[in-house]
PDB file of all heavy atoms in Angstrom:
ATOM      1  N   VAL R 809    -107.592   2.085-168.293  1.00 89.00           N
ATOM      2  CA  VAL R 809    -107.703   3.079-167.227  1.00 89.00           C
ATOM      3  C   VAL R 809    -107.281   2.457-165.899  1.00 89.00           C
ATOM      4  O   VAL R 809    -106.563   3.080-165.109  1.00 89.00           O
ATOM      5  CB  VAL R 809    -109.133   3.664-167.145  1.00 89.00           C
ATOM      6  CG1 VAL R 809    -109.277   4.582-165.946  1.00 89.00           C
ATOM      7  CG2 VAL R 809    -109.470   4.404-168.440  1.00 89.00           C
ATOM      8  N   ALA R 810    -107.685   1.221-165.647  1.00 85.00           N
ATOM      9  CA  ALA R 810    -107.266   0.541-164.420  1.00 85.00           C
ATOM     10  C   ALA R 810    -105.750   0.366-164.392  1.00 85.00           C
ATOM     11  O   ALA R 810    -105.119   0.536-163.348  1.00 85.00           O
ATOM     12  CB  ALA R 810    -107.953  -0.813-164.299  1.00 85.00           C
ATOM     13  N   ARG R 811    -105.160   0.055-165.531  1.00 87.00           N
ATOM     14  CA  ARG R 811    -103.697  -0.063-165.592  1.00 87.00           C
ATOM     15  C   ARG R 811    -103.044   1.278-165.302  1.00 87.00           C
ATOM     16  O   ARG R 811    -102.065   1.366-164.574  1.00 87.00           O
ATOM     17  CB  ARG R 811    -103.215  -0.587-166.937  1.00 87.00           C
ATOM     18  CG  ARG R 811    -101.687  -0.522-166.996  1.00 87.00           C
ATOM     19  CD  ARG R 811    -101.008  -1.211-168.100  1.00 87.00           C
ATOM     20  NE  ARG R 811    -101.166  -2.614-168.236  1.00 87.00           N
ATOM     21  CZ  ARG R 811    -100.601  -3.547-167.455  1.00 87.00           C
ATOM     22  NH1 ARG R 811     -99.877  -3.196-166.429  1.00 87.00           N
ATOM     23  NH2 ARG R 811    -100.761  -4.811-167.694  1.00 87.00           N
ATOM     24  N   GLU R 812    -103.581   2.359-165.871  1.00 90.00           N
ATOM     25  CA  GLU R 812    -103.030   3.691-165.636  1.00 90.00           C
ATOM     26  C   GLU R 812    -103.096   4.048-164.146  1.00 90.00           C
ATOM     27  O   GLU R 812    -102.137   4.576-163.583  1.00 90.00           O
ATOM     28  CB  GLU R 812    -103.806   4.721-166.456  1.00 90.00           C
ATOM     29  CG  GLU R 812    -103.257   6.111-166.354  1.00 90.00           C
ATOM     30  CD  GLU R 812    -103.979   7.079-167.257  1.00 90.00           C
ATOM     31  OE1 GLU R 812    -104.669   6.667-168.203  1.00 90.00           O
ATOM     32  OE2 GLU R 812    -103.848   8.275-167.002  1.00 90.00           O
ATOM     33  N   VAL R 813    -104.212   3.734-163.512  1.00 89.00           N
ATOM     34  CA  VAL R 813    -104.352   3.999-162.080  1.00 89.00           C
ATOM     35  C   VAL R 813    -103.332   3.191-161.288  1.00 89.00           C
ATOM     36  O   VAL R 813    -102.691   3.703-160.365  1.00 89.00           O
ATOM     37  CB  VAL R 813    -105.794   3.699-161.609  1.00 89.00           C
ATOM     38  CG1 VAL R 813    -105.892   3.669-160.101  1.00 89.00           C
ATOM     39  CG2 VAL R 813    -106.755   4.721-162.181  1.00 89.00           C
ATOM     40  N   ALA R 814    -103.162   1.927-161.637  1.00 87.00           N
ATOM     41  CA  ALA R 814    -102.187   1.084-160.936  1.00 87.00           C
ATOM     42  C   ALA R 814    -100.763   1.590-161.131  1.00 87.00           C
ATOM     43  O   ALA R 814     -99.972   1.602-160.192  1.00 87.00           O
ATOM     44  CB  ALA R 814    -102.302  -0.366-161.416  1.00 87.00           C
ATOM     45  N   ASP R 815    -100.442   2.028-162.344  1.00 91.00           N
ATOM     46  CA  ASP R 815     -99.075   2.453-162.660  1.00 91.00           C
ATOM     47  C   ASP R 815     -98.740   3.853-162.159  1.00 91.00           C
ATOM     48  O   ASP R 815     -97.596   4.123-161.811  1.00 91.00           O
ATOM     49  CB  ASP R 815     -98.837   2.407-164.170  1.00 91.00           C
ATOM     50  CG  ASP R 815     -98.813   0.989-164.727  1.00 91.00           C
ATOM     51  OD1 ASP R 815     -98.704   0.034-163.929  1.00 91.00           O
ATOM     52  OD2 ASP R 815     -98.908   0.853-165.959  1.00 91.00           O
ATOM     53  N   TRP R 816     -99.729   4.757-162.127  1.00 94.00           N
ATOM     54  CA  TRP R 816     -99.448   6.166-161.858  1.00 94.00           C
ATOM     55  C   TRP R 816    -100.211   6.745-160.671  1.00 94.00           C
ATOM     56  O   TRP R 816    -100.093   7.924-160.376  1.00 94.00           O
ATOM     57  CB  TRP R 816     -99.714   7.000-163.108  1.00 94.00           C
ATOM     58  CG  TRP R 816     -98.772   6.634-164.194  1.00 94.00           C
ATOM     59  CD1 TRP R 816     -99.022   5.809-165.247  1.00 94.00           C
ATOM     60  CD2 TRP R 816     -97.414   7.031-164.327  1.00 94.00           C
ATOM     61  NE1 TRP R 816     -97.894   5.688-166.028  1.00 94.00           N
ATOM     62  CE2 TRP R 816     -96.900   6.429-165.478  1.00 94.00           C
ATOM     63  CE3 TRP R 816     -96.587   7.856-163.569  1.00 94.00           C
ATOM     64  CZ2 TRP R 816     -95.585   6.616-165.904  1.00 94.00           C
ATOM     65  CZ3 TRP R 816     -95.273   8.041-163.987  1.00 94.00           C
ATOM     66  CH2 TRP R 816     -94.788   7.431-165.150  1.00 94.00           C
ATOM     67  N   GLY R 817    -100.991   5.931-159.984  1.00 94.00           N
ATOM     68  CA  GLY R 817    -101.772   6.440-158.871  1.00 94.00           C
ATOM     69  C   GLY R 817    -101.206   6.054-157.522  1.00 94.00           C
ATOM     70  O   GLY R 817    -100.580   5.006-157.370  1.00 94.00           O
ATOM     71  N   PHE R 818    -101.432   6.918-156.541  1.00 96.00           N
ATOM     72  CA  PHE R 818    -101.066   6.611-155.163  1.00 96.00           C
ATOM     73  C   PHE R 818    -101.906   7.475-154.230  1.00 96.00           C
ATOM     74  O   PHE R 818    -102.592   8.402-154.659  1.00 96.00           O
ATOM     75  CB  PHE R 818     -99.560   6.823-154.911  1.00 96.00           C
ATOM     76  CG  PHE R 818     -99.092   8.243-155.030  1.00 96.00           C
ATOM     77  CD1 PHE R 818     -98.956   9.052-153.909  1.00 96.00           C
ATOM     78  CD2 PHE R 818     -98.771   8.783-156.268  1.00 96.00           C
ATOM     79  CE1 PHE R 818     -98.513  10.361-154.025  1.00 96.00           C
ATOM     80  CE2 PHE R 818     -98.323  10.092-156.385  1.00 96.00           C
ATOM     81  CZ  PHE R 818     -98.198  10.884-155.262  1.00 96.00           C
ATOM     82  N   TYR R 819    -101.903   7.113-152.987  1.00 95.00           N
ATOM     83  CA  TYR R 819    -102.597   7.879-151.960  1.00 95.00           C
ATOM     84  C   TYR R 819    -101.577   8.584-151.081  1.00 95.00           C
ATOM     85  O   TYR R 819    -100.470   8.086-150.887  1.00 95.00           O
ATOM     86  CB  TYR R 819    -103.387   6.963-151.012  1.00 95.00           C
ATOM     87  CG  TYR R 819    -104.537   6.216-151.612  1.00 95.00           C
ATOM     88  CD1 TYR R 819    -104.465   4.841-151.837  1.00 95.00           C
ATOM     89  CD2 TYR R 819    -105.733   6.872-151.899  1.00 95.00           C
ATOM     90  CE1 TYR R 819    -105.539   4.142-152.342  1.00 95.00           C
ATOM     91  CE2 TYR R 819    -106.816   6.173-152.407  1.00 95.00           C
ATOM     92  CZ  TYR R 819    -106.709   4.815-152.631  1.00 95.00           C
ATOM     93  OH  TYR R 819    -107.783   4.116-153.135  1.00 95.00           O
ATOM     94  N   ILE R 820    -101.968   9.726-150.519  1.00 95.00           N
ATOM     95  CA  ILE R 820    -101.241  10.286-149.385  1.00 95.00           C
ATOM     96  C   ILE R 820    -102.184  10.189-148.193  1.00 95.00           C
ATOM     97  O   ILE R 820    -103.406  10.256-148.343  1.00 95.00           O
ATOM     98  CB  ILE R 820    -100.749  11.729-149.614  1.00 95.00           C
ATOM     99  CG1 ILE R 820    -101.893  12.688-149.894  1.00 95.00           C
ATOM    100  CG2 ILE R 820     -99.713  11.777-150.722  1.00 95.00           C
ATOM    101  CD1 ILE R 820    -101.475  14.149-149.930  1.00 95.00           C
ATOM    102  N   GLY R 821    -101.611  10.010-147.024  1.00 89.00           N
ATOM    103  CA  GLY R 821    -102.411   9.884-145.821  1.00 89.00           C
ATOM    104  C   GLY R 821    -103.029  11.206-145.409  1.00 89.00           C
ATOM    105  O   GLY R 821    -102.482  12.277-145.661  1.00 89.00           O
ATOM    106  N   CYS R 822    -104.201  11.118-144.822  1.00 88.00           N
ATOM    107  CA  CYS R 822    -104.858  12.294-144.257  1.00 88.00           C
ATOM    108  C   CYS R 822    -105.761  11.828-143.115  1.00 88.00           C
ATOM    109  O   CYS R 822    -106.036  10.633-142.988  1.00 88.00           O
ATOM    110  CB  CYS R 822    -105.638  13.078-145.304  1.00 88.00           C
ATOM    111  SG  CYS R 822    -107.009  12.204-146.040  1.00 88.00           S
ATOM    112  N   HIS R 823    -106.187  12.752-142.290  1.00 85.00           N
ATOM    113  CA  HIS R 823    -107.076  12.425-141.177  1.00 85.00           C
ATOM    114  C   HIS R 823    -107.775  13.693-140.720  1.00 85.00           C
ATOM    115  O   HIS R 823    -107.330  14.805-141.035  1.00 85.00           O
ATOM    116  CB  HIS R 823    -106.312  11.758-140.031  1.00 85.00           C
ATOM    117  CG  HIS R 823    -105.200  12.583-139.484  1.00 85.00           C
ATOM    118  ND1 HIS R 823    -105.390  13.570-138.548  1.00 85.00           N
ATOM    119  CD2 HIS R 823    -103.872  12.588-139.774  1.00 85.00           C
ATOM    120  CE1 HIS R 823    -104.230  14.133-138.267  1.00 85.00           C
ATOM    121  NE2 HIS R 823    -103.294  13.562-138.997  1.00 85.00           N
ATOM    122  N   PRO R 824    -108.882  13.552-140.001  1.00 82.00           N
ATOM    123  CA  PRO R 824    -109.649  14.729-139.595  1.00 82.00           C
ATOM    124  C   PRO R 824    -108.882  15.693-138.698  1.00 82.00           C
ATOM    125  O   PRO R 824    -109.245  16.862-138.616  1.00 82.00           O
ATOM    126  CB  PRO R 824    -110.843  14.148-138.834  1.00 82.00           C
ATOM    127  CG  PRO R 824    -110.945  12.747-139.274  1.00 82.00           C
ATOM    128  CD  PRO R 824    -109.557  12.311-139.641  1.00 82.00           C
ATOM    129  N   GLY R 825    -107.822  15.241-138.062  1.00 87.00           N
ATOM    130  CA  GLY R 825    -107.064  16.108-137.170  1.00 87.00           C
ATOM    131  C   GLY R 825    -105.979  16.923-137.851  1.00 87.00           C
ATOM    132  O   GLY R 825    -105.239  17.647-137.191  1.00 87.00           O
ATOM    133  N   MET R 826    -105.885  16.815-139.171  1.00 90.00           N
ATOM    134  CA  MET R 826    -104.851  17.584-139.874  1.00 90.00           C
ATOM    135  C   MET R 826    -105.138  19.076-139.754  1.00 90.00           C
ATOM    136  O   MET R 826    -106.287  19.507-139.796  1.00 90.00           O
ATOM    137  CB  MET R 826    -104.788  17.175-141.345  1.00 90.00           C
ATOM    138  CG  MET R 826    -104.230  15.785-141.543  1.00 90.00           C
ATOM    139  SD  MET R 826    -104.164  15.320-143.285  1.00 90.00           S
ATOM    140  CE  MET R 826    -102.754  16.284-143.813  1.00 90.00           C
ATOM    141  N   THR R 827    -104.077  19.830-139.626  1.00 94.00           N
ATOM    142  CA  THR R 827    -104.195  21.286-139.504  1.00 94.00           C
ATOM    143  C   THR R 827    -103.876  21.954-140.840  1.00 94.00           C
ATOM    144  O   THR R 827    -103.338  21.315-141.757  1.00 94.00           O
ATOM    145  CB  THR R 827    -103.209  21.808-138.451  1.00 94.00           C
ATOM    146  OG1 THR R 827    -101.867  21.565-138.931  1.00 94.00           O
ATOM    147  CG2 THR R 827    -103.410  21.130-137.096  1.00 94.00           C
ATOM    148  N   LEU R 828    -104.166  23.227-140.932  1.00 95.00           N
ATOM    149  CA  LEU R 828    -103.788  23.977-142.122  1.00 95.00           C
ATOM    150  C   LEU R 828    -102.275  23.988-142.288  1.00 95.00           C
ATOM    151  O   LEU R 828    -101.764  23.959-143.409  1.00 95.00           O
ATOM    152  CB  LEU R 828    -104.328  25.397-142.056  1.00 95.00           C
ATOM    153  CG  LEU R 828    -105.844  25.525-142.257  1.00 95.00           C
ATOM    154  CD1 LEU R 828    -106.281  26.984-142.109  1.00 95.00           C
ATOM    155  CD2 LEU R 828    -106.274  24.981-143.602  1.00 95.00           C
ATOM    156  N   SER R 829    -101.560  23.979-141.194  1.00 97.00           N
ATOM    157  CA  SER R 829    -100.100  23.910-141.243  1.00 97.00           C
ATOM    158  C   SER R 829     -99.643  22.589-141.878  1.00 97.00           C
ATOM    159  O   SER R 829     -98.698  22.572-142.663  1.00 97.00           O
ATOM    160  CB  SER R 829     -99.533  24.067-139.838  1.00 97.00           C
ATOM    161  OG  SER R 829     -98.136  23.943-139.855  1.00 97.00           O
ATOM    162  N   ASP R 830    -100.314  21.486-141.523  1.00 96.00           N
ATOM    163  CA  ASP R 830    -100.007  20.186-142.133  1.00 96.00           C
ATOM    164  C   ASP R 830    -100.230  20.246-143.642  1.00 96.00           C
ATOM    165  O   ASP R 830     -99.396  19.766-144.422  1.00 96.00           O
ATOM    166  CB  ASP R 830    -100.882  19.079-141.552  1.00 96.00           C
ATOM    167  CG  ASP R 830    -100.634  18.812-140.084  1.00 96.00           C
ATOM    168  OD1 ASP R 830     -99.499  19.018-139.617  1.00 96.00           O
ATOM    169  OD2 ASP R 830    -101.593  18.388-139.405  1.00 96.00           O
ATOM    170  N   LEU R 831    -101.353  20.815-144.054  1.00 94.00           N
ATOM    171  CA  LEU R 831    -101.668  20.913-145.479  1.00 94.00           C
ATOM    172  C   LEU R 831    -100.674  21.818-146.200  1.00 94.00           C
ATOM    173  O   LEU R 831    -100.258  21.516-147.326  1.00 94.00           O
ATOM    174  CB  LEU R 831    -103.092  21.428-145.674  1.00 94.00           C
ATOM    175  CG  LEU R 831    -104.195  20.518-145.132  1.00 94.00           C
ATOM    176  CD1 LEU R 831    -105.550  21.196-145.278  1.00 94.00           C
ATOM    177  CD2 LEU R 831    -104.184  19.164-145.795  1.00 94.00           C
ATOM    178  N   ASP R 832    -100.277  22.906-145.567  1.00 97.00           N
ATOM    179  CA  ASP R 832     -99.267  23.793-146.157  1.00 97.00           C
ATOM    180  C   ASP R 832     -97.947  23.050-146.351  1.00 97.00           C
ATOM    181  O   ASP R 832     -97.273  23.218-147.374  1.00 97.00           O
ATOM    182  CB  ASP R 832     -99.042  25.023-145.283  1.00 97.00           C
ATOM    183  CG  ASP R 832    -100.205  26.001-145.330  1.00 97.00           C
ATOM    184  OD1 ASP R 832    -101.037  25.924-146.260  1.00 97.00           O
ATOM    185  OD2 ASP R 832    -100.279  26.853-144.417  1.00 97.00           O
ATOM    186  N   TYR R 833     -97.574  22.230-145.373  1.00 97.00           N
ATOM    187  CA  TYR R 833     -96.332  21.452-145.460  1.00 97.00           C
ATOM    188  C   TYR R 833     -96.394  20.485-146.647  1.00 97.00           C
ATOM    189  O   TYR R 833     -95.461  20.401-147.451  1.00 97.00           O
ATOM    190  CB  TYR R 833     -96.096  20.691-144.157  1.00 97.00           C
ATOM    191  CG  TYR R 833     -94.884  19.800-144.209  1.00 97.00           C
ATOM    192  CD1 TYR R 833     -93.606  20.329-144.066  1.00 97.00           C
ATOM    193  CD2 TYR R 833     -95.015  18.426-144.416  1.00 97.00           C
ATOM    194  CE1 TYR R 833     -92.486  19.516-144.133  1.00 97.00           C
ATOM    195  CE2 TYR R 833     -93.906  17.600-144.475  1.00 97.00           C
ATOM    196  CZ  TYR R 833     -92.641  18.142-144.339  1.00 97.00           C
ATOM    197  OH  TYR R 833     -91.540  17.339-144.411  1.00 97.00           O
ATOM    198  N   ILE R 834     -97.499  19.766-146.765  1.00 96.00           N
ATOM    199  CA  ILE R 834     -97.654  18.799-147.858  1.00 96.00           C
ATOM    200  C   ILE R 834     -97.601  19.517-149.202  1.00 96.00           C
ATOM    201  O   ILE R 834     -96.898  19.093-150.128  1.00 96.00           O
ATOM    202  CB  ILE R 834     -98.960  17.999-147.695  1.00 96.00           C
ATOM    203  CG1 ILE R 834     -98.870  17.096-146.471  1.00 96.00           C
ATOM    204  CG2 ILE R 834     -99.268  17.183-148.953  1.00 96.00           C
ATOM    205  CD1 ILE R 834    -100.190  16.479-146.040  1.00 96.00           C
ATOM    206  N   THR R 835     -98.322  20.615-149.314  1.00 96.00           N
ATOM    207  CA  THR R 835     -98.324  21.400-150.552  1.00 96.00           C
ATOM    208  C   THR R 835     -96.919  21.891-150.887  1.00 96.00           C
ATOM    209  O   THR R 835     -96.483  21.814-152.042  1.00 96.00           O
ATOM    210  CB  THR R 835     -99.284  22.596-150.418  1.00 96.00           C
ATOM    211  OG1 THR R 835    -100.587  22.100-150.116  1.00 96.00           O
ATOM    212  CG2 THR R 835     -99.337  23.415-151.688  1.00 96.00           C
TER     213      THR R 835
END
């Protein structure tokens, strides 16, 4: 499972100031 996370996992950045428009763009 740790290998799977390392091979196929990543983060996207986020912060409390994100707007719904930002989330719509990412989606």
